[in-house]
Amino acid sequence: METKYWKLTGTPADAEAYAQAGALVRAGQVVAFPTETVYGLGANALNPQAVAKIFAAKGRPQDNPLIVHIARKEDIDSLTTGLNANARKIMEHFMPGPLTIIVPKAEIIPDVTSAGLATVGVRFPINKYAQEFILACGCPIAAPSANLSGRPSPTNAQDVLEDMQGKVAGILDGGSCGVGLESTVVDTTSPVPTICRPGGVTYEMLTEVLGAVEIDPALLGDKNFKPIAPGMKYRHYAPKEPVYLLEGNAVELLPVLVGKAVAAGLRVGVLCDAAMSAQLAQLKQQEGILLSCWGESREALAADLFYLLRDFDRTKPDVILAQGVSEDGIGLAIMNRLRKAAGYQIITLEKGVLTLKGDKQLPAFMIQ
Ligand code: TXA
Ligand code: MG
């Protein structure tokens, strides 16, 4: 399939791109588009054949529901049987924005879109390109992240093309996404609103408006809980190489572990902030260290994280060591993605002893 490409400029000249993309979606095709979180693969949410094409393009498991995107608040009314007080409050404060609410699903939403669940996730993105695209389609847009299933979500058009060229009808290129991590998903149907995926709208922001908010216990890596969001159970964001995530005091040992990996003859990828990168400057002279520095702030890390993880698939180190960050604010979402990328291979310091979580054996190079 030919994948049409449109570069968006934010000027009236974009009208033709939206018209063509909208016509393709109305004809039952899939078009990739930018949002403030990550790029999405959009199709008419009410057309089961069109939605099936999204699953095919991504290689996505059928039991993982899609989020339905709108570009006007009132358009949620036809998608749900009703909104409770919490859902209304969230909409009032955080929509449009990087957040999805789980609400009871209306009949018109086909089972393939909601994976047979009685609920549906609805999102109103704040990105202007996304809004223009949805309005041009004239229907609610089902859209997962525009990556092949299991890969990090794409945050620029080049990364979308890497996964989707030839598999979708078109791509709207709106440059880099701002937040860089997928939307916060909040279940409003539970007695206490529950975060099933942390994102740009933080736990602190939600509690300020709603009072009590819960975090799905499955997010903390406890295998005894089944995640509310089916998608959270899958291996995701993972580069092909083994990733170890250093948490808490173990972060201080990053330079030592990098040195050990190099001594063991490994090409080591390091994901760290600017301060750590400066500490590693000496080691960097040696061969075999691939440094991916994210700058100063955690916001910068969120914006670049998926790009940096994808970059490791291009540079192919033997092992990746990632520096953990504190979990307040956007840190909760960052650590959620980093832990998944690491397959929960988490290194901590317990009473001064380097430990791999879950009583597993440390990799050989760390012991030497
Ligand atoms: O930022 C985003 O949300 C992006 C952009 C494109 O909007 N979309 C996105 O979609 O990340 P996706 O399909 O990659 O992730 C949707 C997540 C999955 O973990 C899915 O299981 C969960 O939301 N989800 C969707 N509908 C749900 C429902 N009714 N109940 C529970 N979880 C749901
Ligand atoms: Mg996804």
Side-chain angles (χ1 to χ4, degrees):
M1 173 190 300
E2 187 211 347
T3 301
K4 291 203 86 172
Y5 171 89
W6 305 276
K7 174 80 196 157
L8 298 174
T9 56
T11 69
D14 293 342
E16 182 56 27
Y18 293 126
Q20 289 183 19
L24 283 169
V25 168
R26 280 193 301 282
Q29 298 298 323
V30 177
V31 171
F33 65 101
T35 81
E36 70 276 24
T37 57
V38 301
Y39 273 71
L41 280 188
N44 180 351
L46 307 181
N47 176 342
Q49 286 84 27
V51 171
K53 289 181 189 166
I54 295 179
F55 282 85
K58 276 183 70 90
R60 182 180 176 103
Q62 299 288 335
D63 70 345
N64 194 4
L66 303 181
I67 292 170
V68 178
H69 296 65
I70 56 174
R72 286 179 304 229
K73 277 191 188 177
E74 60 270 28
D75 287 349
I76 197 171
D77 295 336
S78 66
L79 303 175
T80 179
T81 52
L83 300 169
N84 61 23
N86 284 327
R88 284 182 199 285
K89 264 195 216 163
I90 294 175
M91 285 192 71
E92 186 190 325
H93 286 87
F94 301 113
M95 283 198 184
L99 164 134
T100 297
I101 49 173
I102 309 288
V103 296
K105 163 184 112 82
E107 280 286 318
I108 57 161
I109 296 170
D111 275 347
V112 58
T113 301
S114 64
L117 298 178
T119 54
V120 63
V122 181
R123 164 153 143 73
F124 178 179
I126 199 165
N127 179 292
K128 291 288 171 224
Y129 298 137
Q131 293 181 1
E132 290 292 335
F133 166 66
I134 297 164
L135 291 174
C137 295
C139 57
I141 295 297
S145 48
N147 51 287
L148 289 173
S149 231
R151 294 208 70 198
S153 301
T155 48
N156 62 72
Q158 214 41 51
D159 285 349
V160 177
L161 283 171
E162 188 178 282
D163 285 11
M164 291 297 152
Q165 179 103 56
K167 295 186 173 164
V168 297
I171 168 167
L172 291 159
D173 180 351
S176 296
C177 302
V179 178
L181 303 177
E182 305 89 341
S183 63
T184 308
V185 178
V186 184
D187 185 0
T188 67
T189 67
S190 44
V192 179
T194 304
I195 297 177
C196 353
R197 181 175 71 183
V201 173
T202 63
Y203 171 80
E204 291 84 348
M205 290 158 79
L206 286 163
T207 47
E208 201 176 314
V209 166
L210 299 171
V213 172
E214 278 173 5
I215 301 176
D216 183 354
L219 296 187
L220 307 172
D222 189 330
K223 299 261 174 349
N224 296 320
F225 291 95
K226 189 171 155 238
I228 300 168
M232 296 305 278
K233 72 173 177 280
Y234 294 108
R235 187 180 148 88
H236 206 190
Y237 315 116
K240 291 168 188 129
E241 306 71 27
V243 181
Y244 294 95
L245 174 61
L246 277 61
E247 294 196 11
N249 293 339
V251 165
E252 288 158 31
L253 289 181
L254 187 56
V256 175
L257 293 181
V258 171
K260 285 187 175 205
V262 171
L266 298 173
R267 291 175 74 240
V268 52
V270 189
L271 185 58
C272 66
D273 66 13
M276 180 61 75
S277 167
Q279 269 196 56
L280 291 171
Q282 286 277 304
L283 281 168
K284 217 167 35 180
Q285 313 296 330
Q286 302 182 33
E287 286 214 26
I289 300 180
L290 305 158
L291 210 52
S292 270
C293 167
W294 72 66
E296 306 291 338
S297 69
R298 291 178 308 162
E299 282 69 24
L301 170 57
D304 288 348
L305 178 60
F306 291 149
Y307 171 79
L308 296 173
L309 289 175
R310 278 176 170 265
D311 211 36
F312 283 134
D313 277 343
R314 294 182 266 261
T315 54
K316 297 189 171 41
D318 300 314
V319 63
I320 296 164
L321 300 175
Q323 175 184 354
V325 297
S326 64
E327 282 189 88
D328 53 312
I330 190 71
L332 184 67
I334 293 172
M335 288 304 279
N336 168 259
R337 306 310 192 273
L338 275 176
R339 285 175 185 141
K340 291 189 81 168
Y344 295 97
Q345 300 197 104
I346 296 165
I347 305 280
T348 56
L349 256 185
E350 307 293 337
K351 300 196 182 99
V353 180
L354 213 55
T355 307
L356 179 55
K357 218 169 175 170
D359 289 330
K360 286 176 278 185
Q361 263 239 290
L362 287 170
F365 79 85
M366 288 193 195
I367 299 164
Q368 280 152 19

